[in-house]
Amino acid sequence: MNLNDRPTAPDPYNLLPVDATFPVTSNDIVDNQTLPAIHSAEGGNVSPHLAWSGFPEQTRSFVVTCFDPDAPTPSGWWHWIIVDIPATQTELPQGAGSSDLDLDGAAFHIRADHGDHSYYGAAPPPGDRPHRYIFAVHALDVETLEVDEDASAAQVAFATMFHTIARGRLTATFATPQE
């Protein structure tokens, strides 16, 4: 079977309950446009700038994720996960996904599907259709998810779902040309 023959995965966030949404913006990416190459695995592997506002007053922390629902796996591919971002922080600079970057407060990276505690840029199989990269900021009603850096992406997603009071998203696409 050709990878392009498989059905498009649904947007997983459309399947989850959420009470409210808020805007997420970026100096680096535009919603529903192509992800610049610097944010791909081969083009620089640099996480994009993200900023958010308009979230509920009762927000106590944030989780930031980047997820590819189009990866040729049953569970998609987690490219980036930061938990326990303080409610006072409303922006991540370009490059915040670096494994050696100090984050504000108690915030830390969870091991993403590439195996490291850092951002992993877009890397769809060569010749596959464009993949969607969903950058989501989850506003939570708790200061901490009470997970450690060895929690799996699925564990974090599960815990996040029960504490999300609002969510903002930016989606970009990326394709790797056939070699």
Side-chain angles (χ1 to χ4, degrees):
M1 175 174 158
N2 182 322
L3 286 177
N4 289 317
D5 293 338
R6 70 190 193 286
T8 301
D11 180 328
Y13 294 109
N14 289 340
L15 305 173
L16 298 175
V18 67
D19 292 336
T21 61
F22 55 91
V24 176
T25 60
S26 176
N27 295 337
D28 301 324
I29 59 177
V30 177
D31 197 32
N32 295 313
Q33 298 296 314
T34 301
L35 189 70
I38 191 173
H39 307 300
S40 71
E42 290 189 13
N45 215 32
V46 175
S47 62
H49 163 266
L50 296 174
W52 53 93
S53 61
F55 48 86
E57 221 176 273
Q58 63 270 34
T59 300
R60 298 188 58 207
S61 70
F62 298 100
V63 169
V64 170
T65 61
C66 176
F67 182 71
D68 172 5
D70 302 313
T73 72
S75 59
W77 190 272
W78 292 96
H79 285 260
W80 193 22
I81 308 159
I82 302 176
V83 300
D84 296 351
I85 298 170
T88 55
Q89 184 173 348
T90 59
E91 187 170 18
L92 291 173
Q94 183 184 75
S98 171
S99 63
D100 61 354
L101 184 70
D102 286 330
L103 299 168
D104 287 351
F108 61 96
H109 288 95
I110 296 291
R111 185 184 330 272
D113 284 344
H114 67 292
D116 290 335
H117 296 85
S118 62
Y119 171 82
Y120 185 69
D128 198 8
R129 65 174 175 243
H131 286 208
R132 293 166 292 165
Y133 295 87
I134 303 169
F135 293 86
V137 179
H138 312 263
L140 307 183
D141 62 2
V142 293
E143 289 181 16
T144 179
L145 278 182
E146 298 184 9
V147 297
D148 64 33
E149 67 178 12
D150 292 321
S152 71
Q155 287 173 305
V156 172
F158 186 77
T160 298
M161 185 184 78
F162 292 102
H163 294 287
T164 298
I165 54 177
R167 181 180 302 113
R169 305 183 297 171
L170 273 178
T171 301
T173 60
F174 193 82
T176 304
Q178 185 70 46
E179 297 173 349

